[in-house]
Amino acid sequence: MLADTNMELKPPDGFVSLNKASTSINQLVRVIGVVTDYLPPKKSSGTDWGCTFSLQDLSMINGTSQNPALRVRMFRSQENYLPHIEALGDVVVIRNLRIRNDTRFGLIGISCNTTEEIHFPASRIPIPELKETFAGGKTLLGHTATPPGCHLPTLAEQMYAIALHHALPSPTPLFASNNFVIPPPTGPKSKVGGKAVSNILNQKYSLIKDLGPQQYADLIGEVVKIYPGMTEVDIYITDYTENSFLYLYRTPEELAADGNPDGDSFGYTTNGPKKQWQGPFGQMTLPVRLWYPHADWTRQNIREGEVVLLRNTHIKFSQAGKLEGALHQDMKFPEQVDVRKFHSNPQDSRLDDLKKRKADYESRHGAVSLDAALGGKNKVLKKKPKRQKAQKPKPEHITLDGQEKGPTISTNLGHNQHIRSGYTDIRITPVSDILENPHLSYKTPTGIESTLPFINAKYRARVRVVDFWPPNLEDFSRRLDNSDYCPLASNSVSDSGSEADDSEIRKKWEWAFSLLVEDATTPSSIKEAPSRMNLVVAQDGAEFLLKMDAVDLREDTRALNQLKEILFILWGDLEELKSSNAALPPHPGASRTASSNPFECCIQEYGVAVPTPEGGVKWQRMHRMFATTVI
């Protein structure tokens, strides 16, 4: 039992306890809970993404509830729209969650079209004594909110999240046998809520020093290098333990003494990059090749220097006779991602142990090796200030995990104030930089250059509409049972099955149109023609933009007129000019007659597999609008 002061903690107005929510079958509720378990996002059998996690609050553990936690399943059209849960102990706010008593899953909360979710990472929740920093309402508690357009967390929600996080005991996984989190290999039992529970020891967890060929291991390591390929991703990890079966990366001093600066004296080009190795030196680094779906998730979410957890990694010898790892697709759970960021946990000392080993390594090797790499003689070198050269800004991705953001370009002249984009803290990227993204070209660890057909990236741009397709607005919505538009519609049923109504998962009509836009960041003093690109506007991205559900526009005259009014805000009198056969700009830079004003929007790049006449498949690069709405 918890202290009486904790028992008095009540949810904010409009919210119910998780115990009360469990009795609200077939109703929409608002709940707040602490994450006690979670599974990584996975693609459903249809087009949706889904994730599962469990929430707990005081009502679930104070003796009044028969359930240890409320299981929640959420479905979204894109993976980025799902809750970004990082670790046990995170706090999640859910508005409009439907409670079901499902024949397969029992009591469960299911998302619907109006569901909003706010996630507070445990690592960013302050102690209750510091809550006054946020109580004034001027500072928001660190969070992510989905889907785009989700209302910001209220002051009451933030205060309750802080109090609840510290009122509950440290969470223990509820369905750990299927959970991604590796239980720490500590004592046989621990206490949660006054009850002794057995830890599920993971016998596959291993340090790099203990690895051998022909085994499967769960690994925790710092990412030293990442080499993204077209379908696979190679990562190099270290936990600062040594293994004699690994490639030997020699220090700059040793290489200089041997006259071999490339670090590949034995020709192990598979495990030894051509570029001079920056450390750690010695036999501490394990290369791991990731395949789908692990590669796709890693490419978007993992950066060098972060600590990752790799589950069920196949350890084997490379052709060069050195240890390497491989993480293939799970045949039983093909969409399961077995890569995750590894965070600190008071009950798990492995991250602290890794940091101690790293500090010990740096105290012995870091200063000397860095000094030698700079060309010194074991003394501190002062860098001379370099003259800064003006550089063209590089494209920057929109991320939901705290990626570094660039300065915002001030381009308010003629800005359409009636259109709002999400992620306003991300700087504007010119259309030309999106189309000519330098990341499309890459070099493999062995020095082979290649070009990708597309990359999974997101941007924010400033554009104006110059044309649209199809030419008739009545065709902006399509029937899902029309085989010409959706040949696989009969098979595109969501994974949710009986967990959600058909009307919530699949609609009879769907938005599908495209806009030709041109860059609106180029100053008028520059006579160079602005770059243009096609943007697909479809499905949830179109619903968010128009704030309308797709219907039969040929039958629903009222909806068609409403659509025209909304699109007039977007592109001015462009539709009237097209319908009257007025001439549109024949090429970029030609004199304009349409009255469309520039606006800011979010753009997502992706690829579509297109069959070739030879019977093969090639990837077509596409861009779509998202997180942009007419207000």
Side-chain angles (χ1 to χ4, degrees):
M1 299 292 289
L2 298 173
D4 292 338
T5 54
N6 289 341
M7 298 284 288
E8 298 173 359
L9 188 60
K10 299 281 180 71
D13 291 341
F15 287 77
V16 298
S17 68
L18 293 174
N19 186 34
K20 176 66 176 177
S22 300
T23 64
S24 305
I25 307 300
N26 295 327
Q27 297 183 33
L28 292 177
V29 297
R30 294 187 170 198
V31 296
I32 303 177
V34 174
V35 176
T36 60
D37 218 330
Y38 66 100
L39 298 174
K42 57 175 288 188
K43 194 78 175 290
S44 72
S45 60
T47 59
D48 292 340
W49 283 84
C51 70
T52 303
F53 55 95
S54 293
L55 296 179
Q56 190 178 73
D57 65 4
L58 296 174
S59 69
M60 295 299 230
I61 61 175
N62 63 11
T64 64
S65 174
Q66 299 298 318
N67 301 301
L70 176 65
R71 196 173 187 183
V72 177
R73 298 195 73 187
M74 300 197 71
F75 296 92
R76 298 294 189 194
S77 60
Q78 298 183 35
E79 184 181 10
N80 284 343
Y81 294 172
L82 291 171
H84 308 126
I85 297 173
E86 299 177 0
L88 304 185
D90 292 359
V91 178
V92 176
V93 177
I94 306 180
R95 306 175 184 132
N96 294 343
L97 180 71
R98 188 178 297 279
I99 305 300
R100 291 291 181 87
N101 196 357
D102 191 82
T103 55
R104 287 188 295 167
F105 301 100
L107 185 68
I108 192 169
I110 298 293
S111 63
C112 61
N113 286 340
T114 60
T115 300
E116 294 184 345
E117 174 274 336
I118 297 173
H119 165 244
F120 299 104
S123 60
R124 303 182 67 180
I125 298 177
I127 60 176
E129 289 77 7
L130 298 180
K131 68 180 181 180
E132 297 302 323
T133 304
F134 305 90
K138 295 183 179 180
T139 303
L140 284 177
L141 190 61
H143 69 281
T144 57
T146 56
C150 173
H151 294 82
L152 294 175
T154 65
L155 179 59
E157 291 169 351
Q158 296 175 74
M159 294 299 100
Y160 182 78
I162 295 174
L164 182 62
H165 173 73
H166 292 280
L168 288 176
S170 299
T172 294
L174 298 177
F175 41 99
S177 59
N178 293 323
N179 191 15
F180 186 86
V181 178
I182 297 181
T186 55
K189 291 188 177 182
S190 62
K191 288 187 176 182
V192 176
K195 298 179 180 180
V197 295
S198 297
N199 282 332
I200 301 176
L201 299 182
N202 193 310
Q203 302 298 331
K204 290 198 300 183
Y205 170 68
S206 176
L207 293 172
I208 287 179
K209 69 181 182 66
D210 299 321
L211 293 178
Q214 305 308 318
Q215 73 175 96
Y216 287 84
D218 296 327
L219 306 173
I220 296 173
E222 178 184 334
V223 178
V224 178
K225 293 295 293 183
I226 300 179
Y227 294 98
M230 182 180 298
T231 58
E232 76 286 347
V233 171
D234 291 329
I235 66 173
Y236 289 66
I237 67 170
T238 180
D239 62 8
Y240 295 93
T241 63
E242 292 199 76
N243 189 311
S244 60
F245 290 116
L246 291 175
Y247 176 78
L248 175 61
Y249 291 97
R250 299 201 287 172
T251 66
E253 298 93 335
E254 295 170 337
L255 295 175
D258 291 347
N260 184 12
D262 65 1
D264 194 15
S265 58
F266 295 98
Y268 297 133
T269 55
T270 301
N271 290 337
K274 294 289 186 181
K275 186 179 179 181
Q276 181 170 310
W277 187 253
Q278 300 299 311
F281 301 104
Q283 295 173 297
M284 293 185 173
T285 307
L286 175 73
V288 181
R289 174 157 291 184
L290 310 177
W291 301 94
Y292 176 86
H294 322 293
D296 291 359
W297 190 90
T298 299
R299 187 182 287 110
Q300 297 185 56
N301 295 279
I302 300 299
R303 301 292 181 267
E304 292 177 4
E306 294 181 325
V307 177
V308 297
L309 187 157
L310 306 179
R311 180 178 177 272
N312 209 31
T313 308
H314 183 204
I315 307 299
K316 56 187 178 67
F317 277 131
S318 68
Q319 293 182 351
K322 300 298 179 181
L323 280 184
E324 64 180 10
L327 198 54
H328 294 278
Q329 185 179 31
D330 190 313
M331 293 297 99
K332 187 175 181 181
F333 303 102
E335 302 300 331
Q336 176 175 294
V337 177
D338 289 332
V339 182
R340 273 294 178 271
K341 297 179 183 180
F342 190 72
H343 299 278
S344 179
N345 187 328
Q347 297 180 344
D348 190 343
S349 63
R350 287 173 294 181
L351 182 58
D352 293 334
D353 294 341
L354 186 151
K355 291 180 178 178
K356 290 177 182 177
R357 293 192 297 268
K358 179 179 180 179
D360 179 65
Y361 166 84
E362 291 178 340
S363 67
R364 292 183 289 110
H365 300 288
V368 175
S369 298
L370 177 60
D371 180 63
L374 294 174
K377 297 181 180 179
N378 300 336
K379 62 182 180 179
V380 177
L381 299 180
K382 294 184 178 180
K383 295 182 180 180
K384 296 181 180 179
K386 294 182 179 181
R387 187 175 181 180
Q388 298 294 326
K389 296 181 179 180
Q391 294 183 351
K392 186 178 181 180
K394 294 181 179 180
E396 192 160 339
H397 300 176
I398 295 175
T399 64
L400 303 176
D401 55 3
Q403 182 178 338
E404 182 181 354
K405 304 173 178 64
T408 300
I409 298 176
S410 177
T411 53
N412 291 324
L413 184 61
H415 179 226
N416 192 333
Q417 301 294 332
H418 299 288
I419 302 175
R420 181 174 299 170
S421 75
Y423 312 108
T424 54
D425 52 346
I426 302 298
R427 73 172 179 85
I428 298 296
T429 300
V431 171
S432 59
D433 286 349
I434 298 176
L435 297 176
E436 301 170 10
N437 193 324
H439 295 294
L440 288 169
S441 299
Y442 76 101
K443 184 179 292 186
T444 68
T446 55
I448 300 176
E449 295 184 355
S450 182
T451 301
L452 298 172
F454 70 94
I455 60 173
N456 292 312
K458 297 178 181 179
Y459 313 90
R460 204 165 69 90
R462 181 175 167 83
V463 300
R464 63 168 58 89
V465 181
V466 296
D467 202 354
F468 58 85
W469 187 91
N472 297 319
L473 299 190
E474 292 86 347
D475 297 323
F476 273 33
S477 64
R478 307 295 183 91
R479 285 184 67 101
L480 286 181
D481 57 0
N482 184 342
S483 59
D484 293 335
Y485 171 68
C486 188
L488 302 178
S490 59
N491 297 326
S492 300
V493 180
S494 173
D495 216 12
S496 54
S498 62
E499 299 145 23
D501 295 331
D502 290 342
S503 60
E504 295 175 355
I505 298 176
R506 187 176 162 203
K507 296 182 178 180
K508 193 174 183 179
W509 290 83
E510 181 176 89
W511 295 113
F513 58 96
S514 64
L515 304 174
L516 178 63
V517 299
E518 69 178 19
D519 184 79
T521 64
T522 306
S524 57
S525 59
I526 298 179
K527 296 182 179 181
E528 181 181 355
S531 300
R532 289 183 173 184
M533 68 186 307
N534 281 305
L535 288 183
V536 175
V537 187
Q539 301 169 348
D540 57 333
E543 291 179 5
F544 190 75
L545 174 71
L546 304 173
K547 293 186 290 189
M548 288 180 59
D549 291 332
V551 296
D552 185 354
L553 296 174
R554 297 185 186 278
E555 296 292 335
D556 195 332
T557 306
R558 182 177 179 181
L560 178 60
N561 292 332
Q562 182 182 355
L563 176 65
K564 290 182 178 180
E565 293 177 1
I566 296 173
L567 293 176
F568 181 82
I569 298 174
L570 182 73
W571 61 41
D573 58 358
L574 180 61
E575 193 267 334
E576 287 83 354
L577 290 173
K578 286 198 68 171
S579 61
S580 62
N581 295 322
L584 292 173
H587 58 81
S591 59
R592 295 182 49 82
T593 54
S595 61
S596 58
N597 288 326
F599 62 91
E600 295 172 1
C601 67
C602 295
I603 297 173
Q604 177 183 12
E605 180 173 323
Y606 61 103
V608 175
V610 178
T612 63
E614 296 78 16
V617 173
K618 68 176 182 178
W619 288 97
Q620 180 177 348
R621 190 183 183 197
M622 303 287 290
H623 298 89
R624 64 181 294 168
M625 183 185 294
F626 77 103
T628 306
T629 188
V630 177
I631 60 175

